[in-house]
Amino acid sequence: QKEVEQDPGPLSVPEGAIVSLNCTYSNSAFQYFMWYRQYSRKGPELLMYTYSSGNKEDGRFTAQVDKSSKYISLFIRDSQPSDSATYLCAMSAGDYKLSFGAGTTVTVRA
Amino acid sequence: EAGVTQSPTHLIKTRGQQATLRCSPISGHTSVYWYQQALGLGLQFLLWYDEGEERNRGNFPPRFSGRQFPNYSSELNVNALELEDSALYLCASPEGIAKNIQYFGAGTRLSVL
């Protein structure tokens, strides 16, 4: 079993829809939870990060962490074609190395 | 403030050769992390350098090595290249105090023929 599980999709939604992404994990030592966006053949771009449990909102993006269930989510409201990318969840503990999910490929149809 | 910079953008080598990849962290930061993103394997942690020392290493063979220079830039060396080393190699650096929050460069795409 992988340390971080993420459904690779692909996920296709119409413009304006809510995109819902999630990851599960097995390592209870994880304290930092990140979401990255990666366009084709580019480096990952940090979208949001959360320390420990809770919710965080930034514009159209909302990140949620439920440590009791070992489950994290990212919601994208009012999705745009420019949101089409691969979304990666990542987590880390005291050793600072990031453990990534496989990434979910999202397409927002105009 | 400059972000993480990597060079070269692309690198083409043949089996058995050596590859050298370079990275400069975010200005003023001492940590550099290297990751490999190979097709079908996802992003995997390779190495962490901080203050000139190797601090942590992922599950990769010894032919993956590197170093960090006094200006905190870093070099990743891959010896005896194999076809499966073809991947996007990413360098990351923290921006603030929390080393867990890492920002990535654009990567070096290594192709082994």
Side-chain angles (χ1 to χ4, degrees), chain A residues 3-51:
Chain A
E3 203 170 35
V4 181
E5 298 278 0
Q6 182 178 9
D7 186 341
L11 188 61
S12 180
V13 301
E15 184 175 357
I18 294 175
V19 176
S20 175
L21 304 165
N22 58 77
C23 292
T24 58
Y25 63 95
S26 57
N27 187 349
S28 57
F30 287 145
Q31 289 285 356
Y32 283 86
F33 303 89
M34 276 72 69
W35 285 97
Y36 289 86
R37 177 174 63 194
Q38 187 174 28
Y39 293 112
S40 181
R41 307 181 80 81
K42 302 290 185 184
E45 171 195 3
L46 179 63
L47 282 175
M48 298 184 71
Y49 67 88
T50 308
Y51 175 72

Side-chain angles (χ1 to χ4, degrees), chain A residues 36 38 41 92-93 96 98, chain B residues 35 37 48 100-102 109:
Chain A
Y36 289 86
Q38 187 174 28
R41 307 181 80 81
S92 71
Y96 306 125
L98 299 184
Chain B
Y35 293 83
Q37 188 173 31
W48 169 33
N100 309 72
I101 302 166
Q102 297 170 19
R109 185 161 297 279

